[in-house]
Amino acid sequence: MSDGILSKAATMEIPISSNGDTSSLPEDDGLEQDLQQVMVSGPNLNETSIVSGGYGGTAEGIIPTGTIKGPGLHPPPPGPPPGGEEVVRGIAVEKFDIVKKWGINTYKCTKQLLSERFGRGSRTVDLELETQIELLRETKRKYESVLQLARALTAHLYSLVQTQHALGDAFADLSQKSPELQEEFGYNAETQKLLCKNGETLLGAVNFFVSSINTLVNKTMEDTLMTVKQYETARLEYDAYRTDLEELSMGPRDAGAVSRLDAAQSQFQSHKDKYEKLRADVAIKLKFLEENKIKVMHKQLLLFHNAISAYFAGNQQQLEQTLKQFNIKLKTPGAEKPSWLEEQ
């Protein structure tokens, strides 16, 4: 096989040379998951359809009973339309071919995966791209941690605001019923009312922060990682068919072998094209994701800092100005829809 078949920019084959000795290898919990991923995309048998001439089609060739003349003649017993058996047989053959191709592909990919894991083969690696992918996965885990903590903060703030609201009501009630302490209970009631209002404003800012981080992590990053999974599957298929082609190339060159080699070359090229397309797609998505992440986080971190600082400094004006700066609108009390506080 010529050297040009397997050459690609920025990629390389990494040989695995444990000589099949797996005694020193740590248990790999991901192996079972990878095998399940290879098996999970089964053949789609719903893609076939009945073409014209099948059951329920036109009635060509069927003689209406009213046209039959003569005594004692009866219409022939109903049977399948002409060509019906051939159509059914054709569908069965088509579905069998789909299952057969899926089975062969699954076998080759499973063989390649086991070969890589147990040190008997090689895999194609784009070092730069895979470093970026691993960095994305690590970043996603850290952002998920921030998201979890921010949600916990929201829950605590909500409880605090509810407590302040109840405490303010209690002070106001006692102010009316305790003439000797009316003033003292009164200004404490006003203080709790103000703190409650500021707390609701802060909650609006923090909730906006949580919503934005959630979108970034569970939609934008997850969408990119779905493309990464497709790329990794295509890489496994590419290496499986590359290995198959290499093995056939080293075999005898009789007439049957030449035919199998041509078929293997065609399948290899198809999987190579798919792999390279998905590799390019992943590179583009990673680039746009990084740009989007910086833009989103710059805005959200500024919002979070300004809102928290204003709240704990007791600066109501600055807190309200922060929400206006980021176009955050709190739902007014008595709205038909429940407030976002109630949706937590």
Side-chain angles (χ1 to χ4, degrees):
M1 183 171 54
S2 63
D3 294 336
I5 293 178
L6 304 178
S7 60
K8 298 187 294 296
T11 61
M12 60 185 294
E13 284 177 28
I14 303 297
I16 306 170
S17 56
S18 68
N19 297 321
D21 180 11
T22 61
S23 59
S24 61
L25 290 176
E27 264 190 62
D28 191 347
D29 294 334
L31 177 58
E32 183 178 352
Q33 295 178 359
D34 289 338
L35 287 171
Q36 289 175 351
Q37 185 174 348
V38 169
M39 296 294 294
V40 73
S41 55
N44 184 358
L45 301 182
N46 295 321
E47 293 179 351
T48 56
S49 59
I50 299 177
V51 294
S52 61
Y55 294 103
T58 60
E60 270 183 41
I62 300 178
I63 303 174
T65 56
T67 62
I68 301 176
K69 305 294 183 181
L73 294 178
H74 301 282
E85 292 182 2
E86 288 78 3
V87 170
V88 173
R89 189 181 299 112
I91 294 172
V93 169
E94 183 178 353
K95 290 187 175 182
F96 175 78
D97 287 342
I98 293 173
V99 174
K100 181 181 177 182
K101 289 178 181 177
W102 172 78
I104 293 172
N105 185 73
T106 301
Y107 166 75
K108 290 181 184 295
C109 291
T110 303
K111 179 183 175 183
Q112 175 65 26
L113 180 63
L114 293 173
S115 176
E116 292 175 6
R117 291 302 175 92
F118 295 112
R120 304 188 188 96
S122 62
R123 65 185 295 263
T124 302
V125 177
D126 186 324
L127 292 175
E128 181 181 357
L129 191 62
E130 295 201 7
T131 299
Q132 292 176 1
I133 290 171
E134 185 54 37
L135 180 61
L136 169 59
R137 289 188 168 123
E138 180 64 22
T139 300
K140 185 171 183 286
R141 285 191 290 269
K142 291 180 178 179
Y143 275 45
E144 284 171 339
S145 178
V146 169
L147 181 59
Q148 183 180 9
L149 292 170
R151 282 174 170 158
L153 177 62
T154 302
H156 294 317
L157 286 172
Y158 177 66
S159 296
L160 176 62
V161 169
Q162 292 293 91
T163 302
Q164 288 172 334
H165 188 276
L167 189 58
D169 288 344
F171 283 152
D173 181 61
L174 286 168
S175 175
Q176 298 295 324
K177 298 176 181 178
S178 306
E180 68 283 1
L181 294 172
Q182 182 177 11
E183 184 178 350
E184 288 82 352
F185 276 127
Y187 61 65
N188 272 283
E190 288 299 319
T191 299
Q192 293 303 318
K193 182 179 178 181
L194 177 61
L195 289 173
C196 186
K197 180 181 178 181
N198 288 348
E200 290 178 346
T201 306
L202 176 63
L203 276 168
V206 176
N207 187 69
F208 186 76
F209 176 84
V210 167
S211 176
S212 299
I213 303 303
N214 180 64
T215 299
L216 178 64
V217 171
N218 293 315
K219 292 185 179 179
T220 311
M221 289 184 178
E222 188 60 31
D223 175 72
T224 301
L225 286 174
M226 287 297 294
T227 305
V228 167
K229 289 178 182 177
Q230 295 173 0
Y231 157 75
E232 289 173 339
T233 299
R235 196 283 306 164
L236 181 65
E237 291 176 342
Y238 164 75
D239 277 337
Y241 283 88
R242 171 185 59 78
T243 301
D244 189 49
L245 180 60
E246 289 173 350
E247 290 175 353
L248 287 172
S249 298
M250 292 185 292
R253 294 301 181 91
D254 54 36
V258 170
S259 176
R260 289 192 298 272
L261 187 62
D262 289 342
Q265 177 67 53
S266 175
Q267 291 174 335
F268 165 77
Q269 187 61 47
S270 174
H271 286 285
K272 179 184 177 183
D273 294 342
K274 179 182 177 182
Y275 162 73
E276 291 182 342
K277 179 184 182 301
L278 281 166
R279 186 181 64 182
D281 290 346
V282 168
I284 291 172
K285 284 201 171 188
L286 286 171
K287 179 177 180 295
F288 284 129
L289 173 61
E290 183 64 19
E291 293 174 355
N292 186 49
K293 183 192 73 176
I294 293 172
K295 181 180 178 181
V296 169
M297 292 309 298
H298 174 77
K299 175 180 178 180
Q300 294 305 317
L301 290 171
L302 184 61
L303 161 68
F304 191 83
H305 173 270
N306 290 353
I308 292 287
S309 299
Y311 174 80
F312 284 100
N315 192 332
Q316 180 183 0
Q317 183 178 1
Q318 183 182 343
L319 185 58
E320 292 176 350
Q321 184 61 36
T322 298
L323 266 68
K324 290 180 182 178
Q325 178 184 352
F326 292 93
N327 297 317
I328 302 171
K329 295 181 180 179
L330 299 179
K331 293 182 179 179
T332 56
E336 292 183 3
K337 294 183 179 179
S339 71
W340 61 264
L341 289 173
E342 295 170 341
E343 294 170 353
Q344 294 303 304

